């Protein structure tokens, strides 16, 4: 390597073609996916904690879909979800509390919320995993099975 910036070697891959998840153009590939989780038997006004186990370590959130009237909150980790358990929907989360995003509907039936701009999320467990932690509160007038769907773009494998 010279001070002028030239490199001499027997072989090298400067275009990134040997990196995993990189196109031949050298531009990183991201994958958009819609993942869904069914939370069964959520009573009127009750909250259930859960996790998508097929998420990503870090991701960009584009849309949230819910099959029934509900309040859905996404978290960085299980500890943040537990710490947020008593916060009412009328109170904003504390900055840095681990709340990534939340959506709420009181209208029966399917609702889709477009995140504009997209929201960056990640797993903050001590060993990062593909879990996306969330809670769902039933806002229907009867017990419901609630499906939560996330449209995400993978940022980290």
């Amino acid at each position: 390597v010279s001070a002028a910036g030239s490199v001499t070697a027997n072989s090298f891959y400067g275009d990134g073609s040997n990196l995993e998840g990189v196109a031949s153009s050298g531009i990183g590939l991201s994958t958009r996916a819609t993942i869904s989780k069914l939370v069964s038997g959520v009573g009127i006004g009750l909250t259930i904690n859960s996790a998508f186990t097929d998420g990503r370590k870090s991701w960009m959130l584009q849309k949230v879909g819910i099959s029934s009237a509900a309040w859905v909150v996404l978290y960085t980790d299980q500890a943040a979800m537990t710490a947020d358990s008593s916060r009412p929907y009328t109170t904003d989360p504390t900055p840095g509390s681990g709340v990534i995003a939340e959506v709420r509907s009181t209208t029966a039936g399917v609702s889709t919320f477009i995140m504009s701009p997209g929201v960056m999320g990640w797993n903050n467990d001590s060993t990062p995993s593909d879990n996306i932690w969330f809670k769902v509160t039933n806002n229907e007038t009867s017990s419901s099975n609630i499906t939560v769907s996330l449209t995400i773009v993978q940022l980290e494998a």
Side-chain angles (χ1 to χ4, degrees):
V1 178
S2 74
S6 61
V7 176
T8 305
N10 291 335
S11 67
F12 59 91
Y13 299 92
D15 66 353
S17 62
N18 265 5
L19 299 174
E20 185 177 321
V22 176
S24 59
S25 65
I27 299 171
L29 298 176
S30 297
T31 304
R32 181 187 302 196
T34 299
I35 56 176
S36 297
K37 177 79 174 193
L38 173 65
V39 182
S40 299
V42 185
I44 302 167
L46 294 181
T47 298
I48 302 288
N49 292 339
S50 191
F52 292 88
T53 57
D54 57 346
R56 310 297 184 266
K57 290 178 184 156
S58 63
W59 37 275
M60 179 68 66
L61 179 64
Q62 296 179 325
K63 289 191 269 186
V64 178
I66 49 178
S67 63
S68 302
W71 177 34
V72 175
V73 185
L74 305 176
Y75 299 96
T76 56
D77 51 48
Q78 190 172 19
M81 182 172 61
T82 301
D84 191 55
S85 65
S86 63
R87 180 178 62 89
Y89 74 88
T90 55
T91 301
D92 287 339
T94 302
S97 65
V99 173
I100 294 171
E102 58 186 318
V103 297
R104 183 174 180 271
S105 172
T106 57
T107 304
V110 176
S111 294
T112 301
F113 299 87
I114 297 172
M115 299 294 154
S116 178
V119 176
M120 187 183 306
W122 69 97
N123 177 281
N124 194 45
D125 291 335
S126 57
T127 301
S129 71
D130 288 345
N131 288 343
I132 299 175
W133 299 97
F134 75 98
K135 76 175 178 185
V136 60
T137 302
N138 181 0
N139 290 337
E140 291 283 355
T141 57
S142 62
S143 183
S144 295
N145 297 328
I146 300 173
T147 299
V148 178
S149 300
L150 305 178
T151 302
I152 59 175
V153 175
Q154 179 176 339
L155 299 177
E156 175 185 10

